[in-house]
Structures are given as structure tokens and as C-alpha cells.
Amino acid sequence: MMNILKNIKLFFLIAALLMANMVGAQDSRPNILVVLCDDLGYNDVGFNGSTDIKTPELDKLARGGTIFTSAYVAHPFCGPSRSAIMTGRYPHFTGTAYNLFQNSSEEDKDNMGIPVEETYMSKVLQDAGYYTGAVGKWHLGAAPKYHPNHRGFDNFYGFLGGGHEYFPGKYQITYQEQLKAGNKNIRDYLKPLEHNGKDVKETEYLTDAFSREAIRNIKTAAEKKKPFFVYLAYNAPHVPLQAKAEDLKKFANIKDKDRRTYAAMVYAVDRGVGQIIKTLKETKQYGNTLIVFLSDNGGNTDHGANNYPLKGTKGDTWEGGYRVPMFFHWPNKIVGRSHFDFPVSALDLYPTFVQMAKANIPQGKRVDGRDIMSDVLAGTDFYSDQMIYALRYREGYSDVGGRKGDWKITRMGNEPWRLHNLKEDIGEKKNLSGKYPELLQTMVSEMENWTRDFVRPLWFYSEKDLEYWTDGRMPRYDETFEINKLVTHPYKN
Ligand code: CA
């Protein structure tokens, strides 16, 4: 008996070694490059109709791949949206539906981040043999256990906070001055960039630095003969609006100063993507690389962005808050489908990537999206029977939005519920709630059910919010899902 067991063990050992060898020798699994912009509006790229911002490189990729006209992120602002991309879960289920703060105090830092129990997509890909690199903005926790190097990234270059100044020649001087002055609470936006936990002295305009580092990751993976997963999270065109003179020159015709600077910042991303494409071609990885381009939330229309034809702005649950520009580009696989108009969610990226890497979602881990690749290739609608949600906690009430098929329900602040047919009314102008009260009721009830499993946020924006959660008024507040009640903000003050 013992002998048989030994032989079986030996057999599996040899089989495992053979398989590992095969993977090493001819790993044909695709590379994955995510290019994530920060606060980029729906109309701020050429491929979505921008007439003043030029994005020739992105447009070329978009037109050679598939443009998603109804792509949603899981939350209308930065941190929770990124948490959802990395974990594959709505942030309300992981306690991360608020942004992390600037300069969280040291004692808080250890509890401020996305729970380590939620395995990131990067970790799954790393374990599956991918070379993994994160570049740019993190915003998912600054304590060591939340650091990219502990969350599945072989390599990290960037900053851990929620934003950053763009010109090292300026922010480094300000940082030194504040250090000398004994400021113990220096803004994240001024701190040195880091490479795998060590401060670096960056010399380039931030967007250019991040393009450069993405290229470095791609070259390293080629040398290692490994497929790669690169998460390139530009902080552009998030404020502060700061652009290079050479890029600004291209947009001298734009009169509004904010818009001009914003356009130049987007153009810098485009230039960088052009360089990255050149590297992919040089290293012969271009054909077998899936490039996913998207924004983490809608554009901020107070700071140069344009979400036309969508209503609303970053942070709200009108379409403009969380419907984003997005495309897939993968020459070996995706050809001949220029547009995909059915809804997709950034939550779908996790299971899609895992499938592409021939890996498995960790046992016991839940994901809220699904592998969409075959539907994208076939042009089929897989969300016709499932709602895509957005809910933002305000103090004392919530903004909510839910899309199913062509229909969307929206409740913003103390306004009554609205119902729109997005196919005919993408700008959410014509409220059809009076015409289809039953449809409204069904969708609102479905949305309410979705909130039943929300968990307590790990951090709150305010003492008031914490109080509302503790006494049970959050997460639903009495009025939010009551169609005939107006939200009166009774808890304010
Ligand atoms: Ca953002």
C-alpha cells in the first residue's frame, strides 16, 4: 500500500514538473495591460467624440479594438472604484465605500486599506506565473500590509495616496521647505515617489515618468519570458491641473484655461501610450496583449472635464458620474467588432483576466462581475437580466443609480426617483417614472435588495455617518427606497 501511495505521489510530482516546464517554455497566455485614467470624462477622448482634445494613439487602438459605449465603474469616485477593480467586488461589500484620507494618522494607517482577505486580481495572476507591475496612483492603503508589493505586484513605482503634483522640480522643493519648517502633516501630493517601498528622486513630469515605468515593466517581462499584468494607473487628468508647455502649445485654440490644461494632460497620456505601443511591437508582444483602457470615474466638470452627452459629474449617480470611456484592444483575438453598446462593468475585469490567465478565482472568494470575453467577441448582451448599481453615501442620504437593459433608475439627493430609457434618452432628461410606475417599483425594489448585504464601512467620512450606521439608519436610510417619500435630510445638522 505504501508503495502504491509513493508511486502515485511520484507520478503527480513528475506531472507537475512537466507542466511547469511546459508553461515556462511556451507560455502563450496573453499579456494584460490596464491603462486607468483618473477622472477622465466620457467625452474627453477622440474615440468618444471629443472635438477639442486630440488622442490619436488611443483612437487608433480603440478603432482597432472594441469601444464600450456603456461601460460602468462600481463607484463614482476614486478609492472605492479602484477597490472594486482590484477585488472584483462592489466596495459596499468590502467596507471600502469611502475614499481613504490624506495623511491618515500613523495609528489609523494600519486599519486604513482594502481588507487583505480580499485577494486582488494581481495576486491571482502573480500566483499563476504572470510578471506583475503597478505604476502610478495606488489609493488602496499605505500601511505595509496594503502596499502593492504585498498585494500581488512584483514591482511598484508611483505614490500611495489619492493624488500628486506633476512637476518634480516644483513639488520636491516645496516638500523640502515644509520638511525644514517641521511640518509633520505634509500633503500626500508633495511626497516623493517610491519604487518598491523606497523613495526615489523622480526627474520627469509625472505622466511621462509613469509611461516610462510601464515600458520598463513590459521589457522586464519580455526578458523573463513571462506573460505580464501591468496596471498603469495614471493620475492624469485629476487635479491639480498642470501640463507641459510643449503639450499646451497643441491646444492654444482652447480659450478656457482649465480645459486647455486638461486637454494637454490627456494628450500627455496619449503620447505615453504611443511609446508603450512601440515597446510592445519591439518586444514582439503587441499581438498577444490585451489593452484595457478606462477611467476610474466620470469627469469632474468643475475642473476641465466634459461628460457630454451624459448628465452629471464625478461623484454623482447620473450617468456622467460613473459611465466611463473604455475599450479593449487585442490584435490576436479582438477583430471586427468596433463597438459594444450593451452594458459592461469594471467588476467584470477580475473574472475576465483570471480566465485569460487560465487561473481560478480563489476558493471562497466572491466576485460581483463575470467573465465577459466570449460575449464581447460574440456581441451578446449578458447584463439583460442583471442590474448594474451605483450608490454613494452622502451625509444623511444616498445618491443611487441602477441600470438594467435600456432602463435606468436614478435618485439624486432629495429629488424623487426618476426612470429613463437610456437608448432614447442618454442624457437622462425625460423622466418616465409616471408612465411606467410598475417598472420603476420593480427596479427600485431590486436595488434595495442589493443593499441588504452591505457591510459596515471600515472608515467613515464623518462622525455623523458613523452615528447613522451605528443607529441603523445607514446604509438604506428610511426614505431612499420609498418611492412616494421625499428625502428630507432629517438627520442633517
Ligand atoms: Ca478618480
Side-chain angles (χ1 to χ4, degrees):
M1 187 66 186
M2 281 306 283
N3 257 345
I4 294 172
L5 274 179
K6 249 190 201 163
N7 281 339
I8 290 173
K9 264 192 194 160
L10 197 66
F11 171 79
F12 278 112
L13 187 67
I14 291 169
L17 281 172
L18 278 174
M19 274 178 70
N21 228 350
M22 276 166 58
V23 168
Q26 43 175 350
D27 196 332
S28 59
R29 291 177 298 172
N31 305 302
I32 300 165
L33 169 63
V34 173
V35 179
L36 183 68
C37 281
D38 198 352
D39 295 7
L40 179 70
Y42 192 76
N43 199 266
D44 292 330
V45 281
F47 68 83
N48 259 14
S50 178
T51 50
D52 56 353
I53 300 183
K54 295 175 188 69
T55 53
E57 299 291 343
L58 292 169
D59 296 353
K60 233 187 288 170
L61 293 175
R63 287 175 187 141
T66 295
I67 298 167
F68 297 92
T69 55
S70 300
Y72 294 88
V73 288
H75 205 76
F77 55 75
C78 306
S81 170
R82 286 153 199 264
S83 161
I85 290 171
M86 280 297 159
T87 64
R89 304 221 66 197
Y90 280 106
H92 318 80
F93 297 136
T94 59
T96 59
Y98 293 97
N99 266 334
L100 286 160
F101 309 117
Q102 283 264 351
N103 295 318
S104 321
S105 67
E106 287 305 318
E107 71 264 29
D108 280 346
K109 256 188 182 160
D110 203 40
N111 299 314
M112 304 276 288
I114 317 305
V116 292
E117 295 75 22
E118 290 292 336
T119 309
Y120 282 5
M121 57 160 79
S122 43
K123 182 77 175 99
V124 178
L125 296 171
Q126 186 182 50
D127 287 347
Y130 272 61
Y131 177 75
T132 53
V135 179
K137 165 167 159 174
W138 185 240
H139 211 194
L140 298 169
K145 65 180 175 183
Y146 302 123
H147 190 276
N149 291 141
H150 287 126
R151 303 301 297 260
F153 285 106
D154 296 320
N155 194 38
F156 171 65
Y157 189 100
F159 60 89
L160 297 173
H164 210 282
E165 301 255 337
Y166 290 83
F167 287 105
K170 287 189 182 156
Y171 67 75
Q172 284 166 357
I173 290 169
T174 316
Y175 180 74
Q176 288 303 332
E177 284 169 357
Q178 297 202 7
L179 262 189
K180 264 185 215 152
N183 182 356
K184 294 219 164 37
N185 212 18
I186 302 176
R187 287 187 78 211
D188 286 343
Y189 280 50
L190 298 169
K191 287 176 183 166
L193 300 192
E194 66 150 274
H195 183 209
N196 294 333
K198 289 202 179 86
D199 287 358
V200 291
K201 197 166 184 339
E202 180 53 60
T203 56
E204 288 194 84
Y205 177 68
L206 225 58
T207 300
D208 292 340
F210 294 156
S211 302
R212 180 196 73 218
E213 293 303 318
I215 286 168
R216 195 195 303 272
N217 275 290
I218 290 164
K219 286 183 174 166
T220 305
E223 282 160 19
K224 290 180 184 290
K225 296 196 172 15
K226 276 183 165 193
F228 66 74
F229 170 59
V230 172
Y231 171 72
L232 170 55
Y234 289 110
N235 56 317
H238 191 290
V239 290
L241 297 179
Q242 297 171 348
K244 286 171 95 169
E246 61 178 82
D247 294 329
L248 281 166
K249 257 190 221 158
K250 298 225 175 257
F251 300 96
N253 59 319
I254 300 179
K255 290 200 174 68
D256 181 82
K257 186 167 175 267
D258 277 0
R259 181 67 177 168
R260 184 164 67 242
T261 311
Y262 180 98
M265 293 169 79
V266 176
Y267 185 73
V269 168
D270 192 78
R271 278 194 292 103
V273 170
Q275 292 300 311
I276 291 166
I277 294 304
K278 217 170 124 216
T279 307
L280 286 172
K281 287 180 175 168
E282 280 164 12
T283 55
K284 302 198 168 30
Q285 300 180 98
Y286 177 71
N288 200 28
T289 299
L290 168 72
I291 300 173
V292 178
F293 176 87
L294 78 166
S295 177
D296 70 335
N297 51 253
N300 189 336
T301 50
D302 289 336
H303 297 287
N306 178 2
N307 296 319
Y308 181 83
L310 310 181
K311 188 176 189 169
T313 185
K314 169 186 181 176
D316 66 39
T317 54
W318 298 117
E319 292 286 276
Y322 67 111
R323 179 164 166 176
V324 296
M326 175 166 150
F327 68 74
F328 276 9
H329 178 270
W330 185 6
N332 285 5
K333 192 92 174 180
I334 300 175
V335 282
R337 183 166 307 286
S338 63
H339 286 81
F340 189 91
D341 295 324
F342 299 121
V344 294
S345 166
L347 292 163
D348 300 324
L349 297 178
Y350 190 122
T352 302
F353 294 171
V354 168
Q355 182 66 28
M356 285 170 66
K358 297 187 168 62
N360 294 308
I361 290 167
Q363 223 173 4
K365 161 125 182 81
R366 287 179 60 182
V367 292
D368 293 322
R370 45 182 109 173
D371 169 20
I372 60 172
M373 193 55 83
S374 59
D375 290 286
V376 170
L377 294 173
T380 47
D381 180 9
F382 44 90
Y383 268 111
S384 57
D385 61 345
Q386 195 187 317
M387 198 179 280
I388 292 181
Y389 307 100
L391 183 147
R392 179 200 175 157
Y393 299 133
R394 302 273 188 178
E395 200 172 89
Y397 64 101
S398 295
D399 291 342
V400 270
R403 171 159 184 186
K404 195 170 180 179
D406 294 334
W407 294 96
K408 159 106 186 273
I409 49 168
T410 312
R411 182 164 219 177
M412 285 285 299
N414 59 354
E415 296 293 318
W417 276 101
R418 296 173 65 106
L419 176 72
H420 297 98
N421 184 317
L422 293 179
K423 198 165 187 181
E424 289 156 10
D425 177 24
I426 195 175
E428 295 175 279
K429 291 182 183 133
K430 197 174 170 198
N431 183 7
L432 298 175
S433 61
K435 201 170 173 191
Y436 302 104
E438 285 173 20
L439 179 61
L440 176 72
Q441 181 61 67
T442 308
M443 289 180 74
V444 170
S445 301
E446 186 175 342
M447 180 120 196
E448 183 176 15
N449 281 337
W450 169 70
T451 65
R452 303 272 177 215
D453 295 329
F454 283 10
V455 303
R456 184 184 191 275
L458 293 163
W459 57 91
F460 290 83
Y461 270 173
S462 70
E463 289 291 321
K464 273 274 174 225
D465 281 351
L466 172 58
E467 190 188 314
Y468 297 154
W469 187 278
T470 309
D471 70 17
R473 279 179 280 192
M474 278 179 78
R476 275 174 293 284
Y477 297 106
D478 288 342
E479 298 90 343
T480 302
F481 297 99
E482 292 277 341
I483 289 178
N484 297 319
K485 261 192 200 168
L486 281 186
V487 178
T488 50
H489 303 191
Y491 315 127
K492 279 235 150 190
N493 308 314

